Amino acid sequence: MRKTFSLAGLSFGLPFLALSGCGKADDRPNIIFFLVDDFGWADTQVPFGPEVYPTNARHDTPNFVEMASSGAILTNAYACPLSSPTRTSILTGVNSAHTHVTNPLASLRGADTAYDTPDDSPWATVDSLAGGCLDSPRWAVNGVNPAVPGNPDEVEDAFYGTPYARLLRDAGYFTVHIGKAHWATAGTPGSSPYNMGFVVNVAGGVVEFSKCGYRSENNYGNVKDGRAVPFTPHNLTEYYGTGTHMTEALTREALKALDYPIREKIPFYLFLSQYAVHTPIQDDPRFYQKYLDRGMDEGQARFASMVEGVDVSLGEIRAFLREKGIDRNTVLIVMGDNGGNSENKNKGGILHTQNKPLREGKGSCYEGGTRVPMLVEWPGKVAPGTLINTPVICEDLFPTLLHLGGVRNPETVQEVEGQDLYALLTDGSRLASRQSFGDRREAYGFVIPESVSGIDPDRYIVSHYPHAWKPYVLDDIDFLSSIRSGRWKLVYRMRTRDLELYDLSEDIGEERNVAGDHPDIVSRLAGALSDRLRRFEAPMPTVRGTGETVPMPDEVLNGTK
Amino acid sequence: MRKTFSLAGLSFGLPFLALSGCGKADDRPNIIFFLVDDFGWADTQVPFGPEVYPTNARHDTPNFVEMASSGAILTNAYACPLSSPTRTSILTGVNSAHTHVTNPLASLRGADTAYDTPDDSPWATVDSLAGGCLDSPRWAVNGVNPAVPGNPDEVEDAFYGTPYARLLRDAGYFTVHIGKAHWATAGTPGSSPYNMGFVVNVAGGVVEFSKCGYRSENNYGNVKDGRAVPFTPHNLTEYYGTGTHMTEALTREALKALDYPIREKIPFYLFLSQYAVHTPIQDDPRFYQKYLDRGMDEGQARFASMVEGVDVSLGEIRAFLREKGIDRNTVLIVMGDNGGNSENKNKGGILHTQNKPLREGKGSCYEGGTRVPMLVEWPGKVAPGTLINTPVICEDLFPTLLHLGGVRNPETVQEVEGQDLYALLTDGSRLASRQSFGDRREAYGFVIPESVSGIDPDRYIVSHYPHAWKPYVLDDIDFLSSIRSGRWKLVYRMRTRDLELYDLSEDIGEERNVAGDHPDIVSRLAGALSDRLRRFEAPMPTVRGTGETVPMPDEVLNGTK
C-alpha cells in the first residue's frame, strides 16, 4: 500500500494559482468544512428529501435554512454508517471498505474494542439468529497512518494514506483543526492532527467523548466524580467551570485560530468538527426549556437543544465571515459524519424513527444510517438555493477540497477513489438553478448530466459494515453491505445472505423489497458490489462454527456458495 | 491596571522592517527561546562563574558548550525563585513582586494551594521559629490575564498584562508554544497559550507535571495506576507507549511545528519550554547507565540523564537550524526558569549543595535560587565566546524579544519594567570580545559600560518570595526578599527581620554577612528595595498573632516598626 499515485483525471475548471508564501497576491479561496457528529438527515429545518417531513419541523435551525437558501443543498449525500470510517475516508479519499477502517476506533493502539465482537462475546452467541452467528473480521483498528515521508514508523492494522490536509498545508494553506478527529489510535502518528497536515490543532486527537461530555462545569470530563477521564479534549482549560457549552467553546476557538491567517492574508482551511450532536445527550441550557415547553419529552428536548447549539455555531461562523469581509471568498461546506443516531434511548422519542422517512439510523447501511445533510455555500460560484441530486459520498471530499485549494496532481501513497465535486458544485449548480421548477418534487427529480458535472448520476455508492455494533443484536444494523446506483439500492444482509432491492425514487424509506421483480438489477448491483469488495479486499465476517468467510453477494446469487 | 502604556525608551539599533504577511520580503530574524525548568546554574559544563567548579563537571553537555563557544554567556542572569513568577514576568515584562504572581500557580481557578500556607496550616504554627510565624499574603493566584481587547472576562487575583507573544504574533511572527506554560489557572483565558499570542500550541496549558512524568510508557500520566491524572500534557498521544522520553517528544513537536513557517518563509518565534529537569526525577534511559557507571548514586544519575536529554534536545535544535540553512538568521536564547532544585531528596547527593558555589537553590532569594544559566547565540550579531557580566533578569526578555522581532512602541496594558538587552547582546558582546583577557577571572570582571549597552551595570535586581514553600520550615527559602546592585546583595529575612549584606565580587556563595561593615550600603539597598516593594504594592506576609504586615526593610533599619 506504499506505492505513489497521483490524482489523475481531476478536472480543473478554473485557473487556480498555486502560489504560496506571499499571501498578499493569493486569491485562492478560504475553505471551511463544518462537520457535525451524528447529524441526522432530518435534524434541521432544511428538507433534504423530495418533500418537507414532520421531522424537519422539530428543531429551530434558522442558520441552516439561511445557508441553504444561499448555497446548494446536496440531497443525496452519503457518509459511512459510523464515525471513524467516514472521517478516515474523507481524509484519504478512499472508501471505508478499502481503507478497512470499518468500525469506530478505540483509544489505544492495538487495543481490543467491544466493537470487534470477539468469538467469546456473549452477544455473538445468539443461536436463534436466522443464518447463524457471524464473527467480525480483522480490520484497520489503528486507523490511518499518515505516511509521513521519511517517517519509519510502521503501524500494523492501519491504512497508509496521504491526508488531504497535508497536501493543502504543503500548498501554503493555513490548515486549522478544531474538535473531533477520530482517525487513529494513541501510540500511532495519526492520532495527532499535526501529523495529518494541520498547522493548528485545538481539541482534536484521541478523545473518549461519550465519557467527557459538553459541560464546562464538569471540565469536559477532566474532573468526573473526582477523577479524570483518560482521553479528554485538549486545549480547552480556559472554559473549565465557565458555563461554556462545548459547541460554543469550539466555535470560539475556531474563530480565534483564524485571526492569524486573516490578518496575514494567508488562505486558510478550517476543519471545524463539532463533537455535537454525539452522545452523551446533554441539554444545552441556552435552548433546552423552549423544547420542553413545546411538549417534547426530556430526551427529545435535550437533543433538540444540542442541534440548535450547532445551528448557532454555524450562524456565528457565517456572521464572522461577513464581519471580516471574506464571506465571498470562502467556501463553506456542512456535512454529517453518519446518519442520525436512532438507537440511543436517551434521545427520547421512539427508537429508529428519528430519521424518518429514512429507514434506521447510525450504524446501518439503510439510508437512515448513511444519508446525511450536506450544504455548500460559495457566493458567486455555487448557485444559491439549488438542489443538487447527484449522489455524492464522503471520500469525494478529498479531491474536492484539493481542487478548491488549487492543488493539482498531488502525490499520494493511496489511489484516491473519491470523485471531484468541483464542477458539480459550480457549473452543475448553475445549470440546476437555470431550470424553472414548478415544485420541489420536480426540482428533486432534475438530474445534472455527467457532461456538466463530471459525475455519472448513476455512479455506484458503496456502504459496508461487517461488524455488530452493540452488545445486543440489531438486525437492521449489524453485518450489512449495500450499493446504490441511481434509483436502485441493493442491501446485502450478511447474516441471512438476503439480497434486498429498493427503488429509492418511489420508496425512499426502503419499505418495499422489490428484488423479486427485478432480478436483472439485483444481478447487476450484486456484481458491482462484489467486484468492489473483492478489489478492496474488504473485511468480511466469518461464519461461527465453520470459520468460513461470508460469501460475496454474487456468490449468493449464483448459488456458488 | 488597565491603562495603556507604550514601551518608551527602547533603543532600536537596527532598521528592522515591520513587514507582515508577505513573507518572502521579510528578513526579520527567527527567534527561539529554549527555557529549561529548574535548570541549575552549575548543571552544565558551561561555567557561569569566575572559575570552573567541580559542579560543572557532573553532566555531559557538549551542545551547551558548543553553543556557549558560538554565542554569549550571561554570567549574571536572574530568574525568580520559582516557576510561575518567572514565566509570568517574562510574559509581561514586569517584576514578580509587581505582578503579584509570587508563587507557583495551582491548576484550577481560585483553588486553594498548599503553597498559600493558610493560617490553620500545621507547618505554619511552629512556635520555635525565631521571630514567630508568618502567614502568606494574598497574591495573584490566577496568574496572568492576557487582557484580550474586547474580552470582557474579568479574573480576580490576576495580573492584567499584554503578553509579548501576542505582540510578536500581531506583527506577523508565526509564534509556536511547545511544552510548559504555567501562566494561569484553568477557567481563565490565560490558561490557553492561544490566548497568550501563540499561533500553535503543543503540550502547553495547565499541567500537573510532577504527577505526569516523562515516560511514554505511562502515557505521560494519562494512564497512571489505571486512572488518569486530571491535567496531563496535551497533543502528545502519538508518543504513548512508544518509548519516547518527554524531552525528545517536545523537541520533535517543535521541529515539526516549524515546518510550515520555514516553508512559507514566515519569520517564527519558537518558545520551547522543556518540562525537564523538573520533578519527577526519572531516568532518561538513553543516558542513565553511563552516570551510574561513573559512581553516581541513583538519584544523581537519574538527574544527570535528564540534563543530558536536554543537552541533546538543544543539539537537535541547533542541527535543525543548520540543516534548514536558517542558523545565521535565527536568535537562540537558552535560560533556566529558576535556580536548580537543591531541596529534592530524589535527586540524590547532599541537599542544598547542587548549585555550589552558589548558596541554596530553587525557592530561595539566595543566589542558588535565582541565578540561572543563560546563553544567547546569533551568528554575526552576538560575538562568539563572550562573557556578558551585566546583571539581567527575566522580565528583560519582554522588551528584548520584541526588539528582536522589530516591534516598536507596542501598546500594552501594563507598564513594562524589564530592560531591552538588544544593545547589550550585540554591541555589548562585540565590545567585550575586543578586550584581550589574560584569564577567565579578568574576563569575568569586565564591565560593559552603560553607554554601549544601555544597561546600568549597577542596576537593581529585585527578588521577592513572601511565602513558605514546603510543608516544613526552610529558613533559607521561606519569606525572603532581596535586592542586588553591582557587587552588593542585600537579603531581607522577613521572619526574623534580619538584613544581610554580601559582597558577591568576593563572596559569590553568600557565606559572609558584611552588613555590620557597610551600614551605608545596607541603608541604600534597604531603601531601594522598600521603594520598589511599596510601589509594586508587593504581597507581604503578616505576623501570626498580630495580623500586622511585615515591616519594609527600611522600617526595620530605622526602627520605625
Side-chain angles (χ1 to χ4, degrees), chain A residues 93 164 231 247 263 457 500 514:
Chain A
Y164 74 86
F231 293 96
T247 303
R263 182 192 298 260
E500 301 170 345
V514 294

Side-chain angles (χ1 to χ4, degrees), chain B residues 508-549:
Chain B
I508 200 170
E510 296 168 294
E511 295 177 335
R512 297 180 297 280
N513 176 8
V514 294
D517 303 334
H518 302 279
D520 52 331
I521 308 284
V522 170
S523 175
R524 175 169 69 87
L525 292 183
L529 178 57
S530 302
D531 285 351
R532 280 159 181 76
L533 295 179
R534 285 194 188 94
R535 177 152 53 85
F536 297 163
E537 299 177 4
M540 297 294 284
T542 50
V543 179
R544 175 73 47 89
T546 71
E548 280 184 33
T549 302

Side-chain angles (χ1 to χ4, degrees), chain A residues 82-89 91 99-116 139-145 155-159 180-186 188 190-191 196 205-209 231 278 465 467 469:
Chain A
L82 286 162
S83 172
S84 298
T86 294
R87 290 160 189 273
T88 46
S89 284
L91 200 68
T99 62
H100 300 183
V101 183
T102 44
N103 228 355
L105 301 168
S107 295
L108 279 166
R109 179 173 181 162
D112 284 339
T113 156
Y115 298 122
D116 273 337
W139 58 287
V141 294
N142 288 317
V144 170
N145 185 327
V155 180
E156 70 291 353
D157 293 321
F159 180 75
K180 178 170 177 172
H182 213 191
W183 295 315
T185 53
T188 73
S191 67
M196 291 306 194
V206 180
V207 176
E208 298 186 354
F209 191 75
F231 293 96
H278 196 282
Y465 188 59
H467 308 279
W469 188 34

